[in-house]
Each structure stands twice: as C-alpha cells, then as structure tokens.
Amino acid sequence: MSEAALLNGSVAVLSRDPLGKAVAKNVLVMAIGLSINYINASLMYTFCKHQIFYSNPRYILFFTLVLNDMIQMSVGITLFVISYVLYRISALSCAPFILMAIITTENTPLILACMAGECYVAVRLPLHHARICTVRRTLLLVAAILGASLVSAFPDLFVTLATEPAHFFSGKIFCLRETAFPSPVLARKRDVTYVVYLVLVWSVIFFTYFQILFTARTASKDAKKARRTIVLHGVQVLLCMTTYAVPLVKDALLRAFPENYSDSLFACYVVVQVWPRSVSPIIYGVRDKCFRKYLKHYLVCRTAPHGDRS
C-alpha cells in the first residue's frame, strides 16, 4: 500500500467527525446532490420527450454529459454516506464504486472537448456541419469515449487482482481509489493519464476558442454565442480537472491541517465533485433557447394543478 493511502487511512481512523457534524455534512451533500440530480433528470426527461433533440449531435452529446454527471453524482453521494455510516467496507465491494467514479470522471472532459469541437464545426464550417456531425458519428464518438475510459480504468482492477493477496479483497478498507487500488504503479499511471487528458482537452478548448474568436469578430451573433459557450466549456473543464490535482491537494492538506483533515476533505469533495456537476444545467437548461422552451413547458406542466393541464 502506498504511503499516501496509509496516511489517508490513519488520519481517517483518528479524526472521525462528531455525530452532529457528520449528520450536517451528510444532509448538506445529499441535499445539494439530489437537487442537482433532479434538475439533470428533468433535462434528460425533456430530451427524451421531444424528438427534435434526437437528430441534433449537440443535444446528444449534452444528454451523454448529463447522464454521466448523474451517475458520477450518485456514486459520489453513495460513497460519501458509506464513509460515515459503514465507515469501512470490503475491498471487493468498494472496487465497483471506484471503477464507476474513475470512468465517469475521465469521461467528462472528453465529452466537453467533443462538444467544443461540435461548436467549432458549426461556426467555422457551417455548410459542412450536417455532413460532418451526423447522429451516427456522434454515437460512435460517445462509444469511443466510453471505450477509452474503460481501457483506462480496468487495468487498475486487473493489476490489483494480480498483485494483492486474497485476504486483501475480503478485508475492510476506507473506500478511496488509493486504498481500493493501492499499487504505486497505478498511482503513476493515474498521473500520466491525467497529464495526457490535460494536454489533449485543453489543446482542443484553446484551439476551438481562438478559431471561433476570430470568426466572431466579423461574423454572426451565433458565432459570438458559440464563443461564450466555449468559454463556459473551458470553465467546466477547469472545474472537472481540479480532480486531477486532488492527490497533491490531499497531501498538502494533511500536512497543513492534520487535526482538521476530515473538514478539509469535505471542502475538497464539494468543490471538486459537487460544484462542477451544477454547471451543465446552466449552460443548456438556461442559456439554450430551444432547450429552455421545452424545459419550461415541462416544469409548468409538472407544477400546474391537474385540472389546468392542457
């Protein structure tokens, strides 16, 4: 087991929160997480109920992003509650949760990069957009993103199965990536993966932004709107990629605030895992006129008295 994992485990043992603080943290996380999931579920329902979105690659990618965010949020809330209620679970039970968390975390920046690419094609190559950005190609792109994340995540499981003794999997652990997959080799692999994703995704974001920026100076209002959308995608990527700095942040917090480490981890969790999930509904649930129209209709129908519905 790596030194960082040992430190995390030992601090977790020594600094369990008092009951009142533990309840407050769990209620806050569940309230925020369930609220975001409810909004995202409304967006997904709106997408599924209106066929106009099925033939638009932009909305297909958005649906994929929202679904990914919902899974990630659900897994995160579950692990958060487990860490307080059960505290330790078997490594075998922890592994599926961590795998889902890894896959959904790595999916997010790749989906955002693809959405930025779609904006670029729509603005810079409008006459070729329908030919380049087809529904079939979009679905293949989504499958490729999922495949890349699976290829990245499952070696962690295979290496752990090959290197850890049998009693490790039946033993109880505090469910973190570092404790579920403790090999130092996997920690290095994670760092390399994060660097590759960082370079790849930010290259796409910067390229598309500046290309659209040059177009927006002399072109239509749609180009200027696309430029603002790319900026928001960049903010999303920046928030999501704070995940990549979490191991370093955790080590720094442990050394700086050993007595309040659990509070530091809680703040880190909210900023890194919860906050970025709230950005997608703002971009497409509020800013996009077409989606906003259908979403407003859905919300009005849900809140109207039964006799008033048409």
Side-chain angles (χ1 to χ4, degrees):
M1 185 177 294
S2 67
E3 181 183 357
L6 285 172
L7 287 172
N8 287 342
S10 63
V11 171
V13 170
L14 294 174
S15 60
R16 296 190 69 174
D17 288 330
L19 179 61
K21 182 184 287 188
V23 171
K25 287 181 178 179
N26 279 271
V27 169
L28 179 61
V29 166
M30 291 187 66
I32 296 174
L34 293 177
S35 298
I36 293 173
N37 269 359
Y38 174 77
I39 296 171
N40 283 335
S42 300
L43 296 174
M44 291 175 62
Y45 179 84
T46 302
F47 175 93
C48 294
K49 291 292 287 184
H50 298 93
Q51 196 169 5
I52 188 174
F53 299 124
Y54 296 177
S55 58
N56 192 319
R58 181 173 303 173
Y59 294 115
I60 294 173
L61 289 172
F62 167 62
F63 178 87
T64 305
L65 178 66
V66 171
L67 177 61
N68 186 78
D69 282 353
M70 285 190 67
I71 295 172
Q72 187 177 32
M73 181 65 70
S74 300
V75 171
I77 292 174
T78 301
L79 287 176
F80 191 87
V81 173
I82 285 175
S83 71
Y84 281 91
V85 176
L86 301 178
Y87 193 52
R88 292 175 181 271
I89 60 176
S90 68
L92 197 59
S93 301
C94 174
F97 288 110
I98 298 301
L99 283 174
M100 283 191 289
I102 294 171
I103 291 168
T104 52
T105 297
E106 294 185 358
N107 280 344
T108 302
L110 296 180
I111 297 171
L112 290 171
C114 292
M115 294 176 78
E118 189 277 334
C119 282
Y120 166 79
V121 175
V123 173
R124 296 284 291 182
L125 304 168
L127 299 179
H128 301 283
H129 181 266
R131 178 175 57 83
I132 297 173
C133 299
T134 64
V135 172
R136 181 175 179 274
R137 287 180 177 176
T138 303
L139 295 176
L140 289 174
L141 189 61
V142 171
I145 291 171
L146 179 59
S149 299
L150 290 173
V151 169
S152 174
F154 270 89
D156 289 24
L157 177 63
F158 298 147
V159 169
T160 303
L161 289 171
T163 57
E164 296 296 324
H167 64 80
F168 169 80
F169 300 98
S170 58
K172 302 287 187 179
I173 62 170
F174 191 76
C175 193
L176 298 169
R177 184 174 184 175
E178 296 87 347
T179 53
F181 305 130
S183 171
V185 174
L186 296 177
R188 289 194 289 273
K189 168 191 157 293
R190 176 199 64 202
D191 294 340
V192 171
T193 301
Y194 286 174
V195 169
V196 171
Y197 276 36
L198 184 69
V199 172
L200 174 64
V201 174
W202 275 110
S203 297
V204 172
I205 292 293
F206 278 114
F207 174 79
T208 54
Y209 174 77
F210 285 110
Q211 289 292 317
I212 292 173
L213 175 64
F214 297 145
T215 302
R217 287 177 176 175
T218 57
S220 66
K221 183 173 69 174
D222 289 339
K224 295 180 180 179
K225 181 180 177 181
R227 185 186 65 184
R228 292 193 294 269
T229 300
I230 295 294
V231 171
L232 289 173
H233 285 331
V235 172
Q236 279 183 285
V237 172
L238 183 62
L239 290 173
C240 292
M241 286 188 169
T242 53
T243 304
Y244 298 175
V246 165
L248 296 175
V249 172
K250 284 181 177 179
D251 289 343
L253 290 173
L254 175 58
R255 290 176 173 81
F257 309 105
E259 296 180 358
N260 303 103
Y261 187 58
S262 63
D263 295 334
S264 300
L265 289 181
F266 174 72
C268 191
Y269 170 78
V270 171
V271 171
V272 172
Q273 296 295 335
V274 177
W275 190 18
R277 309 282 85 75
S278 65
V279 177
S280 297
I282 295 174
I283 294 179
Y284 281 92
V286 178
R287 290 186 69 250
D288 188 271
K289 291 182 180 179
C290 181
F291 211 97
R292 185 171 66 240
K293 180 180 73 172
Y294 289 101
L295 179 63
K296 185 186 297 184
H297 176 74
Y298 162 72
L299 294 175
V300 169
C301 289
R302 284 293 301 270
T303 56
H306 182 72
D308 294 342
R309 295 181 187 180
S310 56

